[in-house]
Amino acid sequence: REFKEETTLDPQLVEPVYNQAKSYADEGLYDIAERYLIRAQQLNPDKWEILNTMGVVRMALHQLPHALECLQAANKLCHNQKLILINLGLCLALSGNDAEAERIFRQAAQVAKDDPEVNMHLGWLYMRRHSVSQAMTELQTALSRDDKLAIAHNNCGLCEIEMGNYEEATKHFRKALAIDSEMGAVHYHIGSVHMLLKQIDMAVKEWETAAKLEATNADCLANLGVAYYKDHKIDMAVTEFRRVITLRQTRMEDFANLAL
């Protein structure tokens, strides 16, 4: 409201328009944020912060080619800026250009030496490439520099699952939740560990918590439905499978589960 009033008083001020865009982006209202960012860029086309935020917003809107253009333009305006490099690396990876993403992340590591965030993103990139040992090396480096990175603990846990180390995986997931108890994905992963260990009741408990925290996690809802089905809770299973189908219509097994 304050930003909007400031913009009304002087429509040529870029900062309130840009700040309003960031406020909407923080609330996940990316379509609205994009409109304000376009206006901010019209007022000041050479502000790298606007282009960087535009890139992040367009990544969230799955407009990867447009996001990449914005981030590359931001990088030209302000070369060797860590924040831009990390977002550019993320966008390149999501666009399928892992080799260039790795180069950009390595450049960020040179710019921001000893910054755990860069190692964390490199670990994420290696996970995408199924290079578990490389991912663990980067993630452990990140945690050695800052043990309070919840996402790094979560990703370490996922790597430990890949290596069959379920107890170590659970330790990392518990550490992640100790840092951020609202991470629904972590409860989902703990539930997956319990299911691998055939501890169905414990898995269901974690997945129910995950579903409350992240109601749009279709994989979680599908697994919860299967668990209910195996426990002969048919009505509850049907409810979960219907929720899955409202979220996605691209997987045959979701319809098969409901039909069953």
Side-chain angles (χ1 to χ4, degrees), residues 23 28 45 137 156 177 218 227 244:
S23 297
T137 298
C156 272
L177 287 177
V244 173

Side-chain angles (χ1 to χ4, degrees), residues 129-219:
R129 292 163 62 173
H130 305 289
S131 302
V132 178
S133 60
Q134 285 181 291
M136 279 296 288
T137 298
E138 295 295 339
L139 291 167
Q140 287 171 342
T141 299
L143 290 172
S144 70
R145 292 170 175 168
D146 183 357
D147 193 45
K148 300 299 182 183
L149 295 170
I151 294 175
H153 279 296
N154 175 70
N155 289 347
C156 272
L158 292 174
C159 289
E160 294 287 7
I161 289 176
E162 287 290 320
M163 296 186 288
N165 302 328
Y166 301 139
E167 185 175 344
E168 290 300 314
T170 302
K171 286 180 182 177
H172 277 292
F173 293 141
R174 293 297 180 196
K175 286 181 180 178
L177 287 177
I179 298 164
D180 184 354
S181 61
E182 298 297 308
M183 291 182 69
V186 179
H187 285 285
Y188 169 64
H189 297 145
I190 295 173
S192 298
V193 172
H194 286 310
M195 185 58 76
L196 288 168
L197 295 172
K198 302 188 185 305
Q199 300 166 343
I200 296 180
D201 289 345
M202 296 174 73
V204 167
K205 183 179 178 181
E206 293 293 341
W207 286 339
E208 286 175 339
T209 302
K212 290 177 182 176
L213 293 169
E214 292 187 356
T216 58
N217 185 337
D219 288 334

